[in-house]
Amino acid sequence: MSFKIDRLNNSFVEQISQILRTEIKDPRINFVTVTAVSITNDLSFAKVYVTVLDDSERNNVLKLLNKASNFIERELSKRVDIRKMPNITFVYDESIEYATNIENIIESIENNE
């Protein structure tokens, strides 16, 4: 990964988090955390990985975020100096659940010994 893409990923995480906190008025989106952004090398697409506090609302929140992606792209283009704004897609970040599952497996193995 190039330094430019890495810097853009970090900037996108920061700015999208701020946009979700300050610009989006829907209360269902208040408890969303942006964990990472992955921008393709040609800057045409960006996956925004998010987690949701209320896991039962995960699908609804993802639909809302993807509907608001055009607005978020416009706001992001005002805040980040980039020639071509990538198309943003929101994806649920399952790495936290995966890590928790691995941790539980390790604990159960340790308790059985």
Side-chain angles (χ1 to χ4, degrees), residues 32-67:
V32 172
T33 304
V34 178
T35 57
V37 174
S38 177
I39 302 174
T40 59
N41 287 335
D42 62 354
L43 303 177
S44 58
F45 298 101
K47 282 186 182 177
V48 180
Y49 294 93
V50 296
T51 59
V52 181
L53 185 63
D54 184 10
D55 204 33
S56 64
E57 290 291 318
R58 176 192 326 180
N59 292 330
N60 292 334
V61 170
L62 283 176
K63 286 178 187 175
L64 289 170
L65 288 172
N66 283 313
K67 281 185 180 180

